[in-house]
Amino acid sequence: MEEDTKRCPYCGEEILATAKKCKHCGEWLDNSRIQACVIKKIADCQRISNIVWLIIAIIQICSIICIIAGVWNIIAVCSSWKLPKKILRQDNDIPSYYEGIAGLIVIAIVNFLLGGLIGVILVCFDFYIRGLVLDNRQIFNKGSV
Ligand SMILES: [Zn+2]
């Protein structure tokens, strides 16, 4: 009866499936090194995710400020609804109604869309991290703090 063999993941030589150490290259086969790589990868991904979520949170807070500006602009539009009559009357406060309103609305829309799109992509990234963790759940066996 021939014993089961496998390839050493480090040197590629054939070794016993039950081997604890490769007889060709001397590497230990207890998965600790592979696990260390996976753990580092997951930790790095989660760190990236945290940083990008922080950036998005800041963008979204800015977006909320822009939305408030947009609401303010709608109120401004309502108040300027009577402008045509004022123009016909040639009131001297007319120029002040044309300063900066359209620009604020554009900024509000752009910030809202930007935060939303990056957020969707980042949720996908977080699902990827979740998959990494769940696929390697046996690694996380050191207990909790
Ligand atoms: Zn080997």
Side-chain angles (χ1 to χ4, degrees):
M1 184 184 101
E2 198 172 314
E3 287 191 78
D4 285 341
T5 59
K6 64 178 179 183
R7 295 255 172 217
C8 169
Y10 304 105
C11 67
E13 292 288 341
E14 199 141 324
I15 51 174
L16 288 177
T18 54
K20 295 274 183 271
K21 189 178 183 181
C22 176
K23 64 183 176 184
H24 302 285
C25 69
E27 282 286 355
W28 289 92
L29 301 163
D30 61 358
N31 288 334
S32 62
R33 182 173 295 192
I34 297 162
Q35 283 191 1
C37 287
V38 173
I39 289 167
K40 189 180 182 303
K41 181 182 179 183
I42 293 171
D44 286 347
C45 286
Q46 188 59 59
R47 191 173 292 124
I48 291 166
S49 175
N50 289 346
I51 291 167
V52 182
W53 273 124
L54 178 65
I55 293 167
I56 284 186
I58 292 166
I59 290 170
Q60 286 172 326
I61 289 166
C62 292
S63 297
I64 289 168
I65 292 166
C66 290
I67 288 166
I68 291 166
V71 171
W72 184 87
N73 284 330
I74 286 172
I75 294 166
V77 166
C78 291
S79 72
S80 68
W81 207 247
K82 293 175 181 170
L83 266 182
K85 281 183 180 175
K86 284 172 169 266
I87 290 166
L88 291 175
R89 280 209 308 265
Q90 291 176 286
D91 287 3
N92 61 7
D93 62 344
I94 287 299
S96 66
Y97 283 97
Y98 293 88
E99 288 167 1
I101 291 171
L104 282 176
I105 292 171
V106 170
I107 288 167
I109 291 169
V110 167
N111 280 331
F112 179 72
L113 292 179
L114 186 67
L117 180 64
I118 296 174
V120 169
I121 292 168
L122 203 58
V123 166
C124 294
F125 185 58
D126 279 353
F127 264 103
Y128 168 71
I129 295 172
R130 178 177 174 274
L132 280 178
V133 170
L134 295 184
D135 287 349
N136 298 283
R137 65 166 79 229
Q138 78 284 353
I139 292 176
F140 302 97
N141 57 4
K142 300 254 168 75
S144 56
V145 281

